[in-house]
Each structure stands twice: as structure tokens, then as C-alpha cells.
Amino acid sequence: VRFVESGGDLVQPGGSLRLSCTFSGVGHRYLEMSWVRQAPGKGLEWVSSINPYPEYNRFYAESVEDRFIIGRDDTRSTLWLLMTSLKTDDTGVYFCATGGRTTWEKPDGGQGTQVTVSS
């Protein structure tokens, strides 16, 4: 399993970003996929997940509900995360993972993408 995350940047509070993750080496069409993040000095935290085809049900952590939208394009092996109304607490490194809220697994060695929300 190999994930490549991108799209992170420095953004002001209230701004927006769209993260992308391309993946290979896994039967992704059949897997629930997640975004997780790691804030400075803290552990990994589940952010959001999406079921595989055909359900595509979406789930969000309470802290990002109504601000983030998760999506996937299995034809392009891509998972994405649209983040709006960003807050300083959203700062961290974002990774994609397989699994859902309590079952996610992040492959070792992933670089993630840095999101910094600051004025």
C-alpha cells in the first residue's frame, strides 16, 4: 500500500484548502478510506471517512462536521478532502488511511501533507 498526499499549505483562519491522496497497491474500490491528522505534539486523530462503492456514506469527527467534505474517485485512485472555514486547531499533518473511524490503519512511512492555519 502506498499513499501520496498533497495540497497542504499555509492559510489564514477562515480559509479553505483541498487535499488529495493518490493510492496504489491496494484493492481500494472495496475499502472504506479515511483522513487522519497529527497536530503538533499530539497523536494521530481520525478526521473523516467514506465508504466504498456503492454506498459512499461519509462520516466526520465532530470537530470538522459541517466544515469538511470527503470524497473519492476510484477511477483515478484518489481520495480528497475539501476543508473550509479553517481554524488554527486544524493545523497538522494530514494522512490518508484505510478503514474507518475506529479501524483506520495508516501505512508506515507516509509523508502526509502539512496544513498550517495561522494569521
Side-chain angles (χ1 to χ4, degrees):
V1 175
R2 184 168 182 266
F3 295 147
V4 179
E5 299 92 347
S6 63
D9 206 345
L10 170 63
V11 63
Q12 292 186 343
S16 299
L17 282 175
R18 187 178 189 272
L19 307 183
S20 292
C21 169
T22 57
F23 43 88
S24 62
V26 64
H28 56 275
R29 293 176 183 268
Y30 310 104
L31 297 177
E32 186 171 12
M33 300 290 292
S34 284
W35 285 96
V36 299
R37 68 186 179 187
Q38 186 166 27
K42 297 186 177 181
L44 286 165
E45 170 193 29
W46 174 81
V47 174
S48 179
S49 62
I50 183 168
N51 286 157
Y53 175 87
E55 291 86 5
Y56 291 141
N57 294 328
R58 295 169 169 84
F59 306 94
Y60 300 96
E62 185 175 349
S63 60
V64 306
E65 186 86 50
D66 297 327
R67 298 190 297 120
F68 290 10
I69 300 174
I70 189 172
R72 61 192 296 165
D73 183 347
D74 291 324
T75 64
R76 291 182 170 82
S77 299
T78 300
L79 180 72
W80 52 264
L81 185 70
L82 176 63
M83 307 187 297
T84 66
S85 301
L86 282 162
K87 304 176 181 180
T88 56
D89 286 347
D90 296 318
T91 294
V93 182
Y94 285 68
F95 303 89
C96 48
T98 56
R101 183 190 298 262
T102 60
T103 62
W104 57 267
E105 293 184 10
K106 185 187 80 63
D108 292 335
Q111 296 298 307
T113 187
Q114 175 70 49
V115 172
T116 303
V117 185
S118 175
S119 56

